[in-house]
């Protein structure tokens, strides 16, 4: 059973483009420093929620408690470098804990003390996701649920993100250095192994040499992150990802009256995407009881402004493959429309998108965005 054939008047491309530019400008002016958990991030979410309600969506706010992301943990783990050669028993747990899931502290007092210490050094607080729901008609249980994601927060910047730096030092797909976080993580695992060997065999020249080599990748990661911290500069985030949020709201308008009656569409403006995908991770975890992976498809919209349209394949340390039927559908749709013939997959070298926590949790999930294929960014 499909929706009514009568559809509301739809604005043309020029009207949509003008609205999108005005929307992005209003958000940037009202909330220019939208770092994760900030007041500007919350203000942007309030403005997005107002737009959703103006489109007739039922809205809700999903609270997201956030801690420092993986980059912070990897950088601070490098603090073990200075004493690992002298005290491998002390350093080995520090290296290894960065390569494995974080262990529960031995006591609540210890856990609270650590949290208090790192809160002072790396302040963090709560964020939120804003959901706008177009439910299946007639109050029925949906046959299919489509969840569309775009993030409202904006990123810090540094030399790591400069096109000149990427062109000079960025590795090409297929290179062992293409996935830089994978290299740093494996180096930390190697350091843990070296410290374990030194505990067993004592101090050896070969182990000291291996430690020196393996320390280079995490030290470089720490230096690049330190550059970001020292700059303390937030980008406007017009492309990444207010363009995706604008696309989210335009789709909400376009799809009105055009969705089958038994399909639910959820439009989500996530928070903390730039801080370890915190908003999407919390959403994937908390909505598991409401959103059945067997009947839910997740589509991220990220950086829709410039470059060639593509869908992303992800996984910084371990690859997370797309659901076979979902990749087949993407390819079939691209092949069926002349204007989308060049749409292909793009492997993300660093970072991830809001789709990846859902993919890891067992949902069919993918992000669609635009890429400068000359620079790979």
């Amino acid at each position: 059973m499909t929706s009514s054939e009568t559809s509301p008047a739809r604005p043309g491309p020029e009207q949509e483009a003008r609205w999108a530019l005005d929307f992005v400008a209003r958000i940037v002016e009202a909330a220019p420093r939208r770092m994760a958990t900030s007041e500007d991030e919350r203000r942007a979410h309030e403005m997005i929620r107002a737009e959703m309600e103006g489109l007739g969506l039922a809205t809700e706010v999903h609270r997201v408690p956030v801690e420092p992301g993986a980059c912070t943990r990897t950088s601070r783990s490098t603090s073990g470098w200075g004493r690992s050669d002298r005290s491998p028993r002390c350093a080995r747990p520090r290296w290894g804990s960065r390569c494995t899931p974080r262990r529960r502290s031995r006591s609540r007092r210890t856990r609270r003390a650590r949290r208090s210490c790192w809160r002072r050094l790396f302040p963090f607080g709560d964020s939120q996701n804003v959901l706008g729901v177009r439910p299946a008609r007639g109050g029925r249980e949906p046959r299919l649920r489509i969840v569309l994601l775009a993030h409202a927060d904006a990123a810090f910047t540094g030399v790591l993100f400069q096109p000149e730096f990427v062109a000079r030092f960025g590795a090409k797909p297929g290179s062992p250095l293409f996935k830089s976080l994978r290299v740093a993580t494996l180096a930390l695992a190697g350091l843990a192994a070296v410290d374990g060997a030194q505990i067993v065999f004592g101090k050896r020249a070969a182990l000291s040499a291996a430690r020196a080599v393996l320390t280079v990748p995490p030290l470089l990661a720490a230096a690049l992150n330190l550059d970001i911290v020292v700059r303390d500069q937030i980008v406007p985030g017009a492309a990444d990802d207010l363009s995706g949020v604008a696309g989210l709201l335009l789709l909400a308008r376009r799809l009105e009256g055009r969705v089958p009656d038994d399909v639910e569409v959820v439009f989500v403006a996530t928070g903390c995407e730039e801080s370890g995908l915190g908003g999407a991770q919390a959403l994937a975890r908390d909505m598991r009881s409401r959103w059945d992976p067997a009947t839910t498809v997740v589509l991220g919209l990220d950086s829709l402004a410039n470059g060639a349209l593509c869908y992303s394949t992800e996984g910084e340390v371990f690859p997370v493959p797309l659901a076979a039927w979902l990749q087949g559908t993407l390819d079939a749709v691209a092949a069926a429309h002349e204007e989308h013939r060049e749409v292909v997959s793009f492997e993300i070298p660093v970072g991830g998108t809001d789709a990846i926590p859902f993919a890891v949790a067992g949902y069919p999930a993918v992000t669609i965005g635009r890429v400068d294929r000359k620079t790979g960014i």
Side-chain angles (χ1 to χ4, degrees):
M1 182 175 181
T2 59
S3 58
S4 170
E5 292 183 3
T6 60
S7 300
R10 175 174 159 182
E14 291 185 3
Q15 291 174 293
E16 288 188 333
R18 283 196 299 270
W19 177 88
L21 288 169
D22 176 69
F23 166 79
V24 170
R26 283 189 287 116
I27 296 286
V28 170
E29 182 179 2
R33 192 176 165 83
R34 299 186 313 283
M35 62 178 288
T37 77
S38 67
E39 181 64 23
D40 273 7
E41 183 195 50
R42 185 193 60 77
R43 186 178 296 111
H45 272 127
E46 289 179 349
M47 296 174 69
I48 294 165
R49 187 181 188 184
E51 294 286 344
M52 288 179 173
E53 291 175 345
L55 292 170
L57 301 176
T59 64
E60 64 177 286
V61 176
H62 172 246
R63 299 297 174 187
V64 180
V66 177
E67 296 190 18
C71 289
T72 300
R73 296 198 301 273
T74 299
S75 298
R76 83 184 187 213
S77 74
T78 311
S79 63
W81 168 71
R83 53 179 162 169
S84 62
D85 194 44
R86 299 188 302 273
S87 181
R89 289 181 185 275
C90 179
R92 187 171 60 88
R94 184 181 296 271
W95 299 125
S97 67
R98 302 287 70 84
C99 313
T100 58
R102 282 177 288 172
R103 300 165 296 173
R104 185 177 296 277
S105 301
R106 290 186 177 182
S107 69
R108 291 184 179 179
R109 180 178 297 178
T110 302
R111 191 158 64 250
R112 284 198 298 268
R114 287 180 178 177
R115 286 173 62 86
S116 176
C117 175
W118 287 106
R119 273 185 183 275
R120 291 190 183 97
L121 292 174
F122 300 98
F124 57 93
D126 291 341
S127 182
Q128 59 281 314
N129 300 311
V130 173
L131 285 68
V133 182
R134 187 86 71 191
R137 290 176 177 80
R140 69 183 71 188
E141 184 67 21
R143 168 184 58 85
L144 173 67
R145 177 179 294 104
I146 301 172
V147 179
L148 295 154
L149 309 169
H151 65 91
D153 60 313
F156 285 92
T157 190
V159 67
L160 176 64
F161 302 102
Q162 299 301 322
E164 298 82 6
F165 180 89
V166 175
R168 184 169 182 178
F169 298 106
K172 301 301 181 184
S175 165
L177 301 178
F178 182 64
K179 296 283 190 177
S180 56
L181 186 60
R182 179 184 299 167
V183 174
T185 302
L186 292 176
L188 291 174
L191 285 166
V194 168
D195 288 332
Q198 184 169 326
I199 291 171
V200 175
F201 301 109
K203 190 171 182 178
R204 304 287 177 88
L207 293 176
S208 296
R211 181 181 288 109
V213 172
L214 290 170
T215 301
V216 172
L219 278 179
L220 286 175
L224 290 170
N225 278 282
L226 180 62
D227 168 64
I228 292 170
V229 171
V230 170
R231 287 173 185 262
D232 191 29
Q233 181 182 351
I234 301 286
V235 299
D240 182 12
D241 184 33
L242 289 182
S243 64
V245 177
L248 198 76
L249 297 170
L250 287 172
L251 279 173
R253 181 180 298 169
R254 287 183 182 185
L255 293 175
E256 171 63 23
R258 294 177 171 86
V259 176
D261 291 346
D262 56 357
V263 174
E264 177 179 279
V265 186
V266 185
F267 305 89
V268 185
T270 62
C272 281
E273 193 269 358
E274 302 289 0
S275 179
L277 308 175
Q281 287 196 54
L283 196 67
R285 180 188 65 239
D286 296 344
M287 294 297 174
R288 184 80 183 193
S289 60
R290 289 170 53 180
W291 297 349
D292 183 357
T295 57
T296 301
V297 180
V298 179
L299 301 175
L301 305 176
D302 204 328
S303 302
L304 294 175
N306 300 308
L309 193 65
C310 65
Y311 62 88
S312 61
T313 56
E314 305 187 46
E316 286 192 294
V317 180
F318 301 105
V320 181
L322 292 178
W325 72 262
L326 181 56
Q327 182 163 3
T329 300
L330 291 164
D331 292 337
V333 171
H337 297 270
E338 185 66 33
E339 66 272 29
H340 297 319
R341 292 285 170 84
E342 295 185 357
V343 174
V344 294
S345 66
F346 172 73
E347 186 176 11
I348 298 178
V350 179
T353 73
D354 279 333
I356 198 70
F358 285 92
V360 171
Y363 290 86
V366 68
T367 289
I368 298 170
R370 288 187 176 272
V371 173
D372 181 343
R373 290 181 178 164
K374 291 183 179 179
T375 59
I377 57 176

